[in-house]
Amino acid sequence: MRTRLSGVFPPIPTAFDDTTGHVAPAAVAVNVRRLMAMPLAGVLALGSNGEAPLLAEEESDRVVAAAREAVPADRVLLVGTGREATRATVEASRRAAGLGADAVLVRAPFFYGAQMSQAALLAHFTAVADASPVPVVLYNLPGVTGFSLTAGLVEQLAEHRNIVGLKETSSDLDRLGRFAAIRPDRFAVLSGSAPVLYPALCAGAVGGILAVANILPSACLAMLQDVRAGRHESALALQRRLVRIAQLVSTVHGVAGLKAALEMIGQPGGPVRPPLRPLAAEAREEIRAELTAFQASFEARDTDRALV
Amino acid sequence: MRTRLSGVFPPIPTAFDDTTGHVAPAAVAVNVRRLMAMPLAGVLALGSNGEAPLLAEEESDRVVAAAREAVPADRVLLVGTGREATRATVEASRRAAGLGADAVLVRAPFFYGAQMSQAALLAHFTAVADASPVPVVLYNLPGVTGFSLTAGLVEQLAEHRNIVGLKETSSDLDRLGRFAAIRPDRFAVLSGSAPVLYPALCAGAVGGILAVANILPSACLAMLQDVRAGRHESALALQRRLVRIAQLVSTVHGVAGLKAALEMIGQPGGPVRPPLRPLAAEAREEIRAELTAFQASFEARDTDRALV
Amino acid sequence: MRTRLSGVFPPIPTAFDDTTGHVAPAAVAVNVRRLMAMPLAGVLALGSNGEAPLLAEEESDRVVAAAREAVPADRVLLVGTGREATRATVEASRRAAGLGADAVLVRAPFFYGAQMSQAALLAHFTAVADASPVPVVLYNLPGVTGFSLTAGLVEQLAEHRNIVGLKETSSDLDRLGRFAAIRPDRFAVLSGSAPVLYPALCAGAVGGILAVANILPSACLAMLQDVRAGRHESALALQRRLVRIAQLVSTVHGVAGLKAALEMIGQPGGPVRPPLRPLAAEAREEIRAELTAFQASFEARDTDRALV
Amino acid sequence: MRTRLSGVFPPIPTAFDDTTGHVAPAAVAVNVRRLMAMPLAGVLALGSNGEAPLLAEEESDRVVAAAREAVPADRVLLVGTGREATRATVEASRRAAGLGADAVLVRAPFFYGAQMSQAALLAHFTAVADASPVPVVLYNLPGVTGFSLTAGLVEQLAEHRNIVGLKETSSDLDRLGRFAAIRPDRFAVLSGSAPVLYPALCAGAVGGILAVANILPSACLAMLQDVRAGRHESALALQRRLVRIAQLVSTVHGVAGLKAALEMIGQPGGPVRPPLRPLAAEAREEIRAELTAFQASFEARDTDRALV
């Protein structure tokens, strides 16, 4: 599984109908098919960028089914199934597996964060991993949950035969590096933060789950190839160019920014679901300008390299 | 509504069957009936102490129905209906109203906390208040959501005819005091933190929604009566005695502590739902000792007063 | 000492010469003399509002000497002597005592906050209290230091014969209440936050050290008298009127706001020392407007009461 | 200057006399001389590891003088001169320069953190850079100050002819990467966090100021050489081995841990100054065991490489 997880995964957004606000599975599939034309490792459905916390259970299932249809069998369909209750997480994981997920991505429960002791988290993730028909990837997103999984806990969890990796969504590379050192032969660490993709790959990540990979998959793939080929200066230069657009479609403007950028490249984007808010006009222009600037510089780079 | 909200509300726990882990509506009703023998203002169902985030939607409905049956028509059944999506919050509020809730308690969405601008929160709460068939009480719990409603936002929301109050769950009495000053004639502020109940009542709160009121309703009522009657020294003395047991059944040991204390007074408590964890034996003894000590001192106090 | 600390203390600013930026002891004395015409318990020199962290040791001494000259012997001159090193704190406390301080106010060291274990803090405060020729008042200001003294630690420290009280600068009245309950007969807790002065007095504080008391000493004194006389409604009404101006001259605009307000009431204010910044013109107008509004309402109140 | 700053700097501890607690300049010099036998870029005197906040001004000067004597003219003596007041920082920088410092390292003032607007920080650092006879290196240590310098501010400051670099003490490589991208030809970014030294070098840092470099200078130098030579796998392997011992002598056990480790390698360590606490016996054993393990593995590595 570690090999299959090594690479770039776009965390796909969930398309909604402009008029009704209902989930639009056909538009989800269009996006995934376009992405699957690139040598990406797979996609993540129902992550934070998929507005998973805003969906009803039956809506979630329709997104998974649509994604599965569009992801070839030799690529990985990763599905976010974290819920607050252990039983709900188990159920969501079973349903996702039944609909064809290759692995599930499970965040820590955090509403009762003050009660989430090491013992509570160990029991939760173990119960999910015991019950899940497909492998589990842990999801550490301290910016949302308010606490981080510790290296000690992850070390214990990595011994479970059905826990195969971890996504770290932060720019703390001390932590990512410790997770990546746990069982480097078997346990796959993926970065969830494009602004540190290059140094994260240096620190031991095997790939990334990155909002910007929905928009600029080839740039993310190029960075991975640069590192694999030892072209570190090229990777650093690309990282520096990528930082701003990566932020605009993730931390700065959130899912609304990501969906707006999708529309700019001719893909189905559509509305976000409230309480998320539509993008302001200036934010849209900021994204458009940065995207244009990035694409010009990126194409120049590839032309340069082709000439070498 | 402000008058009806003035008083003490226990946030009732949700009983689960020991064997199956299913919701146990009959046990919920037993607890509520006992409480309703006291001059409490009403109860809150499906709050944080009700393990609401761990319930499926249909389970939530069964808890509301059971509570309604046990709450007399002249008391207030308050129901927590906060969800991450605005549409889900609206739906939960409508269902609760349909099942007899007198008002709904609505927390801010917080998974996408970084995107929860003033505009986003204003739109969310306004949409819920527009759609809810019963009045809305805002729920500020920064310890869980990671951010606080601002006084400016609450001032705007308090102008909505269907938003009638706010529960503040923190010990920050600067903030509570500002909320309480907004429209003191119409907008009811309730404290959600028993360790500051007395000073919160001084600062303008009209009552409290307090875990410890499930266990010691008469002590909470006595404090309210002391303040109303100008017996401030007595209220402060009672507050000091109440702090420790109040913490043990809320912030320190969470819902498991509350359910254990319920069992100690002969009421249905039962298991918590994972990822929450059963109470350790020492924690149980700590609660028992503190509860015994409190009850002895409280009875002595009432005897003293009766003699005066 | 507890009796002498019961009351209102303005934390006096340190005046600087407009041209040279040097400490201006004469202007310090002018301010103190005006304040001492009111029935205040005393003053605090070299607190945060006194720009103590921006002064050289010899400048500190000149401020203490000037304050002592202007504070009558029957009032308390409290002097801030917290430093990062234990030895520097001891030396500053001895020098302050030698210059006539009645007690010293000592904050926790916090540059090495991560190393400030309970044992380290206990040893630090104990060493200072052992060596100080005058009583020590602890100073808890978590907003600056990044951590709070715990109730357990303060309980231990309150057993030291030379540690007589604590100033709590936060709006957390759970914490203040616990400190106030420690040895209510001997250990004096003072509030450092005017926006919660009234509920803090309810929760057990015996007075306050409040920036706004430099500007509106009679309002602060009136609140204390209201509480002592059982006029709780009047105290709450006054608290609500006082909140905004109190914030403007403390948390919102800092020492620059305080000094500007002093000038508005005809007292020496003068520049702040860099890196603190001069007040912007709009901020000055905001303070002026709020101050005028407060004074009008406060005089009306006193006239009302006089008529009763 | 950028070239001279490219490399490894141990932030030297300040030795104190065992009996008197006075600064021991001779012991400082012994440590520096040993270090200068290695191809280090220089040393930092009076950093956090130098207990600078615990020293009187005249003590600081004696440390600088002792260090200068032991640092050859072709290496960089960097001196920490950050103070709370702008004027005190300017004075300390001038004195350091007069005593032979090649550059000064200046942290942000943070006691009045809430007032440290971008304008205040810009004015402060500009005033210091204007007045300092030697170049200024900015010092970002959000873990201590509670806030971070922003990329926008650093971009402005990097235009000052006398501001030549920045030390970032955190494991946030998004931030470090942005600082490093500002003026990569002229503005030198150094990492202050050994657990991320390798990925920091990837992300654009030109070197590090690292507590562990006092103990294991050759390991830090080897990592820098690995990166410069494109030996990324070797650098990552070394990073993983270095993490634990690096933490033990910095974030975990602080200066006391660093001084204990110095004694273990036969160098003058001595006591820390209160409120810092002597190291517990178990902590000492933990450091000793980790140090022994590291040295064994590191020597094995070098032997391996020599054989290749």
Side-chain angles (χ1 to χ4, degrees):
Chain A
M1 198 63 189
R2 187 175 185 276
T3 310
R4 294 190 69 199
L5 291 173
S6 298
V8 174
F9 290 80
I12 56 166
T14 296
F16 297 109
D17 185 274
D18 265 316
T19 319
T20 62
H22 293 160
V23 164
V28 169
V30 167
N31 264 327
V32 174
R33 268 191 214 101
R34 170 187 59 95
L35 291 165
M36 290 297 93
M38 308 286 300
L40 296 158
V43 302
L44 166 66
L46 300 179
S48 305
N49 281 292
E51 293 174 73
L54 307 180
L55 303 184
E57 295 292 354
E58 65 276 14
E59 292 180 311
S60 300
D61 292 349
R62 282 154 62 203
V63 172
V64 178
R68 180 70 275 177
E69 216 180 308
V71 175
D74 63 341
R75 311 285 186 90
V76 175
L77 173 60
L78 198 52
V79 175
T81 58
R83 301 290 188 277
E84 284 300 313
T86 305
R87 66 161 59 196
T89 307
V90 165
E91 283 164 19
S93 301
R94 285 181 174 151
R95 293 204 323 273
L99 292 163
D102 295 303
V104 291
L105 182 71
V106 182
R107 65 162 174 82
F110 64 104
F111 188 96
Y112 298 101
Q115 301 293 328
M116 288 302 100
S117 60
Q118 300 299 296
L121 293 170
L122 181 63
H124 174 77
F125 285 115
T126 301
V128 174
D130 284 349
S132 173
V134 293
V136 169
V137 177
L138 307 172
Y139 185 11
N140 194 38
L141 70 169
V144 167
T145 59
F147 60 87
S148 177
L149 304 186
T150 63
L153 174 66
V154 174
E155 221 169 320
Q156 280 184 280
L157 290 169
E159 286 173 24
H160 194 291
R161 55 147 194 84
N162 208 25
I163 298 181
V164 298
L166 178 145
K167 176 189 180 193
E168 168 70 24
T169 297
S170 83
S171 48
D172 184 337
L173 290 199
D174 179 16
R175 189 160 57 215
L176 181 142
R178 288 188 223 185
F179 291 153
I182 284 174
R183 295 186 63 171
D185 53 318
R186 194 188 86 75
F187 189 73
V189 170
L190 294 155
S191 171
S193 177
V196 292
L197 178 57
Y198 164 54
L201 292 170
C202 295
V206 300
I209 303 179
L210 309 158
V212 75
N214 283 288
I215 311 301
L216 300 167
S218 50
C220 299
L221 289 165
M223 201 183 297
L224 188 60
Q225 287 152 2
D226 277 349
V227 172
R228 286 177 178 170
R231 292 188 298 265
H232 282 264
E233 284 186 25
S234 168
L236 178 55
L238 180 51
Q239 175 72 75
R240 285 176 176 173
R241 281 199 298 258
L242 194 62
V243 163
R244 187 65 192 152
I245 184 66
Q247 294 176 294
L248 290 179
V249 300
S250 59
T251 47
V252 177
H253 296 306
V255 183
L258 176 59
K259 287 187 164 177
L262 269 177
E263 291 181 348
M264 289 173 204
I265 60 167
Q267 295 300 317
V272 290
R273 183 168 273 190
L276 295 181
R277 304 274 294 164
L279 205 62
E282 320 86 270
R284 196 174 298 269
E285 286 324 300
E286 192 186 4
I287 292 171
R288 191 187 307 279
E290 188 62 33
L291 192 55
T292 308
F294 179 83
Q295 284 169 327
S297 83
F298 185 63
E299 278 160 31
R301 169 199 130 114
D302 280 358
T303 311
D304 291 355
R305 180 170 300 156
L307 297 176
V308 175
Chain B
M1 198 64 188
R2 188 176 184 275
T3 310
R4 295 190 68 198
L5 291 173
S6 298
V8 174
F9 290 80
I12 56 166
T14 297
F16 298 108
D17 185 275
D18 266 316
T19 318
T20 63
H22 293 160
V23 165
V28 170
V30 167
N31 264 327
V32 174
R33 267 193 214 101
R34 170 187 60 95
L35 291 166
M36 290 297 93
M38 308 285 299
L40 297 159
V43 301
L44 166 67
L46 301 179
S48 306
N49 282 292
E51 294 174 73
L54 307 180
L55 303 183
E57 296 291 355
E58 66 275 15
E59 292 179 312
S60 299
D61 292 350
R62 282 154 61 202
V63 172
V64 178
R68 181 69 275 176
E69 215 180 307
V71 175
D74 63 343
R75 311 286 185 90
V76 176
L77 172 60
L78 200 51
V79 175
T81 58
R83 301 289 189 278
E84 284 300 312
T86 305
R87 68 161 57 197
T89 308
V90 165
E91 283 165 19
S93 300
R94 285 181 174 150
R95 293 202 325 270
L99 291 164
D102 295 303
V104 291
L105 182 71
V106 182
R107 65 161 174 83
F110 64 104
F111 189 95
Y112 297 102
Q115 301 293 328
M116 289 301 101
S117 61
Q118 300 298 296
L121 293 169
L122 182 63
H124 174 77
F125 284 116
T126 301
V128 174
D130 285 349
S132 173
V134 293
V136 169
V137 178
L138 306 171
Y139 186 9
N140 194 39
L141 69 169
V144 167
T145 60
F147 60 87
S148 177
L149 305 185
T150 64
L153 174 66
V154 173
E155 220 169 319
Q156 279 184 281
L157 290 170
E159 286 174 22
H160 194 292
R161 56 150 192 82
N162 208 26
I163 298 181
V164 298
L166 178 145
K167 176 189 179 191
E168 169 70 25
T169 296
S170 82
S171 49
D172 183 338
L173 289 199
D174 179 17
R175 190 160 57 215
L176 181 143
R178 287 188 223 185
F179 291 153
I182 283 174
R183 295 187 64 172
D185 54 317
R186 194 188 85 75
F187 189 74
V189 170
L190 293 156
S191 171
S193 176
V196 292
L197 178 57
Y198 164 54
L201 293 170
C202 295
V206 300
I209 303 179
L210 309 157
V212 74
N214 283 290
I215 310 301
L216 300 167
S218 51
C220 299
L221 289 165
M223 201 184 297
L224 188 60
Q225 288 153 1
D226 278 348
V227 173
R228 286 177 177 169
R231 292 188 299 264
H232 282 264
E233 285 186 25
S234 168
L236 177 55
L238 181 51
Q239 175 72 74
R240 286 176 176 173
R241 281 199 298 258
L242 193 62
V243 164
R244 187 64 191 154
I245 183 66
Q247 294 176 295
L248 291 179
V249 299
S250 60
T251 46
V252 177
H253 296 305
V255 183
L258 176 58
K259 288 187 164 177
L262 269 177
E263 291 182 348
M264 289 172 204
I265 60 166
Q267 295 300 317
V272 291
R273 183 167 273 189
L276 296 181
R277 303 275 293 164
L279 205 62
E282 320 85 271
R284 196 174 297 269
E285 285 324 299
E286 191 185 5
I287 291 171
R288 191 186 307 278
E290 188 62 33
L291 191 55
T292 308
F294 178 83
Q295 284 169 327
S297 83
F298 185 63
E299 278 161 30
R301 168 200 130 116
D302 280 359
T303 311
D304 291 354
R305 180 171 297 156
L307 298 175
V308 175
Chain C
M1 197 63 188
R2 189 176 182 274
T3 310
R4 294 190 69 198
L5 291 173
S6 298
V8 174
F9 290 80
I12 57 167
T14 297
F16 297 109
D17 185 276
D18 266 317
T19 318
T20 62
H22 293 159
V23 165
V28 170
V30 167
N31 264 326
V32 174
R33 269 191 213 102
R34 169 187 60 95
L35 291 166
M36 291 297 94
M38 309 285 299
L40 297 159
V43 301
L44 166 66
L46 301 179
S48 304
N49 282 292
E51 294 174 73
L54 307 180
L55 303 183
E57 295 292 354
E58 66 275 14
E59 292 179 312
S60 299
D61 292 350
R62 281 155 60 204
V63 172
V64 178
R68 181 69 274 178
E69 216 181 307
V71 175
D74 63 341
R75 311 285 185 89
V76 175
L77 172 61
L78 199 52
V79 175
T81 57
R83 301 289 189 277
E84 284 300 312
T86 305
R87 66 161 59 197
T89 307
V90 165
E91 283 165 18
S93 301
R94 285 180 173 151
R95 292 202 325 271
L99 291 163
D102 295 303
V104 290
L105 183 71
V106 182
R107 66 161 173 81
F110 64 104
F111 188 95
Y112 298 101
Q115 302 293 328
M116 289 301 101
S117 61
Q118 300 298 296
L121 292 170
L122 182 63
H124 174 78
F125 285 116
T126 301
V128 174
D130 285 349
S132 173
V134 293
V136 169
V137 177
L138 306 172
Y139 186 9
N140 194 37
L141 69 168
V144 167
T145 59
F147 60 87
S148 176
L149 305 186
T150 64
L153 174 66
V154 173
E155 221 169 319
Q156 279 184 279
L157 290 170
E159 286 173 24
H160 194 291
R161 54 147 196 84
N162 207 26
I163 298 182
V164 298
L166 178 145
K167 176 188 181 193
E168 168 69 26
T169 296
S170 83
S171 49
D172 184 338
L173 290 199
D174 180 16
R175 188 159 58 215
L176 181 142
R178 286 189 225 185
F179 292 153
I182 283 173
R183 295 187 64 172
D185 53 317
R186 194 187 87 74
F187 190 73
V189 169
L190 294 155
S191 171
S193 177
V196 292
L197 177 57
Y198 164 55
L201 293 169
C202 295
V206 299
I209 303 179
L210 308 157
V212 75
N214 283 289
I215 311 300
L216 300 166
S218 51
C220 299
L221 288 164
M223 201 183 298
L224 188 60
Q225 287 153 1
D226 278 347
V227 173
R228 286 177 177 170
R231 293 188 299 264
H232 282 264
E233 284 185 27
S234 168
L236 178 56
L238 180 51
Q239 175 73 74
R240 284 176 175 172
R241 282 199 297 260
L242 194 61
V243 164
R244 186 65 192 153
I245 183 67
Q247 294 176 295
L248 291 179
V249 300
S250 59
T251 47
V252 177
H253 296 306
V255 183
L258 177 58
K259 287 186 164 178
L262 269 177
E263 291 181 347
M264 289 172 203
I265 60 167
Q267 295 300 316
V272 290
R273 181 167 274 190
L276 295 181
R277 302 275 295 163
L279 206 62
E282 320 86 89
R284 196 174 297 269
E285 285 324 300
E286 192 186 4
I287 292 171
R288 192 187 307 278
E290 188 62 34
L291 191 55
T292 308
F294 178 83
Q295 284 169 326
S297 83
F298 184 63
E299 280 161 28
R301 168 199 130 116
D302 280 0
T303 311
D304 291 354
R305 179 169 300 156
L307 296 175
V308 174
Chain D
M1 198 63 188
R2 188 176 183 276
T3 309
R4 295 190 67 198
L5 291 172
S6 298
V8 174
F9 289 80
I12 56 166
T14 296
F16 297 109
D17 185 276
D18 265 318
T19 317
T20 64
H22 293 159
V23 165
V28 169
V30 167
N31 264 327
V32 175
R33 267 193 213 100
R34 170 188 59 96
L35 292 165
M36 290 296 93
M38 310 284 299
L40 297 159
V43 302
L44 166 66
L46 301 179
S48 304
N49 282 293
E51 293 174 73
L54 306 180
L55 303 183
E57 296 291 354
E58 66 274 14
E59 292 179 312
S60 299
D61 292 350
R62 282 156 60 205
V63 172
V64 178
R68 180 71 273 176
E69 216 180 308
V71 175
D74 64 342
R75 311 286 185 88
V76 175
L77 172 60
L78 199 52
V79 175
T81 58
R83 301 289 189 277
E84 284 299 312
T86 305
R87 66 161 59 199
T89 307
V90 165
E91 283 165 18
S93 301
R94 285 180 174 150
R95 293 202 325 272
L99 292 163
D102 295 301
V104 290
L105 182 72
V106 182
R107 66 162 173 82
F110 64 103
F111 188 95
Y112 297 102
Q115 302 292 329
M116 289 302 101
S117 60
Q118 299 299 296
L121 293 170
L122 182 63
H124 174 77
F125 284 116
T126 301
V128 174
D130 285 350
S132 173
V134 293
V136 169
V137 178
L138 306 172
Y139 185 10
N140 194 39
L141 69 168
V144 167
T145 60
F147 60 86
S148 176
L149 305 185
T150 64
L153 174 65
V154 173
E155 219 169 320
Q156 280 184 279
L157 290 170
E159 286 174 22
H160 194 292
R161 53 146 196 83
N162 207 26
I163 298 182
V164 297
L166 177 144
K167 176 189 180 191
E168 168 69 25
T169 297
S170 82
S171 49
D172 184 338
L173 289 199
D174 179 16
R175 188 160 57 217
L176 180 142
R178 287 189 223 185
F179 291 153
I182 284 175
R183 296 186 64 171
D185 53 318
R186 193 187 87 75
F187 189 73
V189 170
L190 294 156
S191 171
S193 177
V196 291
L197 177 57
Y198 163 55
L201 292 170
C202 295
V206 300
I209 303 179
L210 309 157
V212 74
N214 283 288
I215 311 300
L216 300 167
S218 49
C220 299
L221 289 164
M223 201 184 298
L224 188 60
Q225 287 153 1
D226 278 348
V227 173
R228 286 177 177 168
R231 293 189 299 264
H232 282 264
E233 284 185 26
S234 168
L236 177 55
L238 179 51
Q239 175 73 75
R240 286 177 175 171
R241 281 199 296 260
L242 193 62
V243 164
R244 187 65 191 154
I245 183 67
Q247 294 176 294
L248 290 179
V249 299
S250 59
T251 46
V252 176
H253 295 306
V255 183
L258 176 59
K259 287 186 164 177
L262 269 177
E263 292 182 347
M264 289 173 203
I265 60 167
Q267 295 300 316
V272 290
R273 182 168 272 189
L276 296 181
R277 303 275 293 163
L279 206 62
E282 320 85 272
R284 196 174 297 270
E285 285 324 300
E286 192 185 3
I287 292 172
R288 191 187 307 278
E290 188 62 34
L291 191 54
T292 308
F294 178 83
Q295 285 170 325
S297 84
F298 185 62
E299 279 162 30
R301 167 199 131 115
D302 280 359
T303 310
D304 290 353
R305 180 170 298 154
L307 296 175
V308 175

